[in-house]
């Protein structure tokens, strides 16, 4: 059963991103009010703001947590054409019985972009302290901190130019059956009818990141995408938010000449019946969450036939206290849902071979 809990964010404008840290006990939010807020969960499961500060001089589009191995580090990107790296530091104790005060310090500002920086994301831990940004000018920039003890230095390692403006990006966390690390980026360009999701990889021959493929099945503007964490699968999964929800299965294969290539299968879901804005996965990639213009949060799960199905629809209470009814084809769990469930006997399994394999 899902429970809907309302949190008063106290942002003065639209909230663009909400991101949990690695352990799920901290949360960061960013908004058009130019502020970032960091939330901590107490032992009772209640969230409260522990830090809030003005981070940029324009709307803040995205926020990203670094792996905790590198400390408490955040990255933000903004309409003001910059991205910033922040680190939490401990101050002096006000009293001997109190915990040290915490504050977030700007370690660096990345000013290479000439247009709005639309997304920022830290790379998987095994690549080191690496950060990627996407900009409206169509350029992906990859930065690396050579000294994790000095976060003021972030030289550009790669610049990847595209002819379309970029709206989002996502690192693949695994290289299983792939020759190199994958990075996906999406475009929200509305002027052309062509593939809007691009796949990049590091080329040993060129010694730089290059575009290796385009998902031509997705031609509508893309607002978000996310690689699923790899939990032992022999393929990779990419969720894409566009006019509809897309799930792309990606396999690394080798052609007869011995060259590596990507085999991709795209599946479309139109349950939202409206533009989809955000997608995210749980840690085991067994659950996908999507949100859309219908005001619903949809929970997707893979069944034993390896088909993705909408398992639940979460609808927040409106200001009038009434919640809209979800589609009949999808079960719903909301704050007003019943607290009990009924189970019905459907039959008896006398032979273990009758049990479907998951």
């Amino acid at each position: 059963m899902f429970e809907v809990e309302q949190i008063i964010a106290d942002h003065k404008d639209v909230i663009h991103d909400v991101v949990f840290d690695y352990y799920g006990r901290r949360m960061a939010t960013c908004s058009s009010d130019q502020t970032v807020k960091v939330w901590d969960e107490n032992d009772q499961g209640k969230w409260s703001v522990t830090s809030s500060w003005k981070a940029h001089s324009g709307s803040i589009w995205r926020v990203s947590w670094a792996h905790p191995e590198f400390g408490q580090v955040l990255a933000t990107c903004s309409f003001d054409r910059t991205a910033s790296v922040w680190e939490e530091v401990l101050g002096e104790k006000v009293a001997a019985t109190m915990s040290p005060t915490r504050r977030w310090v700007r370690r660096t500002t990345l000013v290479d972009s000439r247009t709005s920086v639309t997304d920022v994301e830290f790379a998987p831990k095994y690549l080191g302290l690496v950060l990627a940004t996407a900009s409206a000018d169509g350029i992906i920039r990859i930065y690396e901190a050579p000294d994790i003890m000095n976060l003021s230095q972030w030289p550009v390692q790669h610049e990847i130019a595209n002819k379309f403006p970029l709206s989002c990006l996502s690192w693949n966390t695994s290289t299983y059956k792939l020759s190199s690390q994958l990075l996906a980026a999406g475009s929200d360009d509305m002027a052309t009818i062509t593939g809007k999701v691009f796949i990049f990889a590091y080329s040993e021959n060129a010694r730089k990141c290059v575009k290796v493929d385009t998902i031509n099945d997705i031609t509508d503007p893309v607002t978000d995408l996310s690689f699923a964490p790899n939990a032992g699968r022999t393929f990779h999964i990419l969720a894409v938010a566009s006019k509809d929800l897309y799930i792309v299965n990606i396999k690394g294969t080798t052609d007869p000449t011995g060259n590596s290539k990507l085999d991709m299968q795209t599946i479309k879901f139109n349950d939202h019946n409206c533009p989809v804005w955000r997608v995210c996965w749980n840690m085991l990639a067994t659950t996908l969450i999507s949100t859309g213009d219908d005001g619903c949060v949809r929970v997707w799960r893979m069944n034993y036939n390896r088909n993705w199905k909408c398992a639940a629809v979460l609808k927040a209470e409106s200001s009038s206290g009434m919640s809209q009814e979800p589609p009949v084809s999808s079960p719903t769990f909301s704050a007003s849902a019943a607290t009990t469930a009924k189970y019905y006997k459907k039959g008896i399994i006398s032979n273990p071979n009758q049990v479907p394999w998951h």
Side-chain angles (χ1 to χ4, degrees), residues 100-116:
T101 57
R102 297 180 178 182
R103 60 190 180 93
W104 288 84
V105 177
R106 190 198 305 265
R107 292 306 188 190
T108 191
T109 300
L110 308 174
V111 296
D112 301 279
S113 177
R114 296 295 177 264
T115 58
S116 173

Side-chain angles (χ1 to χ4, degrees), residues 249-266:
N249 296 325
I250 302 175
K251 291 184 179 180
T253 60
T254 305
D255 61 19
T257 62
N259 296 322
S260 298
K261 66 175 186 177
L262 300 179
D263 181 18
M264 296 184 288
Q265 176 192 19
T266 304

Side-chain angles (χ1 to χ4, degrees), residues 196-210:
K196 295 297 194 308
V197 177
F198 316 106
I199 307 296
F200 304 90
Y202 181 78
S203 171
E204 292 290 348
N205 296 330
R207 294 192 176 276
K208 63 179 182 179
C209 288
V210 297

Side-chain angles (χ1 to χ4, degrees), residues 26 37-41 48-52 88 102 104:
R26 308 193 80 185
K37 295 181 185 292
V38 174
W39 305 68
D40 285 280
E41 184 184 26
S48 61
V49 176
T50 54
S51 297
S52 177
E88 187 180 47
R102 297 180 178 182
W104 288 84

Side-chain angles (χ1 to χ4, degrees), residues 58-119:
S59 296
I60 305 174
W61 304 131
R62 299 289 183 117
V63 59
S64 177
W65 290 92
H67 192 277
E69 177 180 300
F70 305 112
Q72 295 298 304
V73 179
L74 281 173
T76 56
C77 65
S78 170
F79 181 75
D80 66 5
R81 302 179 296 178
T82 69
S84 295
V85 178
W86 308 84
E87 184 178 20
E88 187 180 47
V89 297
L90 297 179
E92 297 181 356
K93 290 185 177 182
V94 179
T97 58
M98 298 179 63
S99 301
T101 57
R102 297 180 178 182
R103 60 190 180 93
W104 288 84
V105 177
R106 190 198 305 265
R107 292 306 188 190
T108 191
T109 300
L110 308 174
V111 296
D112 301 279
S113 177
R114 296 295 177 264
T115 58
S116 173
V117 183
T118 54
D119 201 358

Side-chain angles (χ1 to χ4, degrees), residues 164 197 273 342:
F164 295 109
V197 177
N273 292 315
K342 293 182 179 180

Side-chain angles (χ1 to χ4, degrees), residues 25-319:
R25 298 300 302 272
R26 308 193 80 185
M27 179 173 67
T29 60
C30 62
S31 166
S32 280
D33 64 5
Q34 306 175 9
T35 66
V36 173
K37 295 181 185 292
V38 174
W39 305 68
D40 285 280
E41 184 184 26
N42 62 19
D43 295 335
Q44 289 73 41
K46 300 298 182 181
W47 293 90
S48 61
V49 176
T50 54
S51 297
S52 177
W53 69 97
K54 180 179 178 180
H56 290 270
S57 58
S59 296
I60 305 174
W61 304 131
R62 299 289 183 117
V63 59
S64 177
W65 290 92
H67 192 277
E69 177 180 300
F70 305 112
Q72 295 298 304
V73 179
L74 281 173
T76 56
C77 65
S78 170
F79 181 75
D80 66 5
R81 302 179 296 178
T82 69
S84 295
V85 178
W86 308 84
E87 184 178 20
E88 187 180 47
V89 297
L90 297 179
E92 297 181 356
K93 290 185 177 182
V94 179
T97 58
M98 298 179 63
S99 301
T101 57
R102 297 180 178 182
R103 60 190 180 93
W104 288 84
V105 177
R106 190 198 305 265
R107 292 306 188 190
T108 191
T109 300
L110 308 174
V111 296
D112 301 279
S113 177
R114 296 295 177 264
T115 58
S116 173
V117 183
T118 54
D119 201 358
V120 60
E121 185 173 321
F122 284 102
K125 178 188 68 171
Y126 66 85
L127 292 178
L129 193 52
V130 175
L131 182 69
T133 65
S135 301
D137 57 7
I139 298 179
I140 296 175
R141 294 177 175 86
I142 300 177
Y143 304 84
E144 183 176 9
D147 182 4
I148 63 174
M149 303 303 294
N150 179 16
L151 298 185
S152 62
Q153 302 297 321
W154 289 82
V156 178
Q157 300 298 311
H158 306 283
E159 277 196 1
I160 314 168
N162 300 273
K163 61 181 180 180
F164 295 109
L166 298 177
S167 58
C168 51
L169 57 80
S170 177
W171 290 94
N172 187 12
T173 58
S174 172
T175 59
Y176 181 77
K177 286 198 173 182
L178 296 174
S179 59
S180 62
Q181 176 71 43
L182 291 184
L183 178 67
S187 172
D188 57 359
D189 177 65
M190 302 178 65
T192 58
I193 303 177
T194 184
K196 295 297 194 308
V197 177
F198 316 106
I199 307 296
F200 304 90
Y202 181 78
S203 171
E204 292 290 348
N205 296 330
R207 294 192 176 276
K208 63 179 182 179
C209 288
V210 297
K211 184 169 71 173
V212 295
D213 216 328
T214 300
I215 302 178
N216 294 312
D217 295 327
I218 305 174
T219 59
D220 293 303
V222 174
T223 54
D224 194 20
L225 46 74
S226 177
F227 270 110
N230 191 296
R233 293 184 310 274
T234 58
F235 59 96
H236 307 274
I237 306 177
L238 177 67
V240 181
S242 182
K243 181 180 178 182
D244 297 295
L245 171 67
Y246 295 87
I247 295 179
V248 185
N249 296 325
I250 302 175
K251 291 184 179 180
T253 60
T254 305
D255 61 19
T257 62
N259 296 322
S260 298
K261 66 175 186 177
L262 300 179
D263 181 18
M264 296 184 288
Q265 176 192 19
T266 304
I267 308 169
K268 176 181 176 181
F269 302 90
N270 57 7
D271 296 50
H272 279 280
N273 292 315
C274 65
V276 182
W277 287 104
R278 288 287 187 268
V279 287
C280 66
W281 299 88
N282 67 340
M283 290 192 67
L284 296 179
T286 56
T287 301
L288 171 66
I289 307 295
S290 64
T291 64
D293 263 353
D294 56 358
C296 292
V297 177
R298 296 182 183 268
V299 181
W300 304 80
R301 287 177 177 160
M302 182 187 291
N303 61 18
Y304 65 92
N305 288 326
R306 297 194 175 186
N307 295 321
W308 288 94
K309 299 293 182 181
C310 183
V313 180
L314 309 181
K315 178 67 177 179
E317 296 287 342
S318 64
S319 58

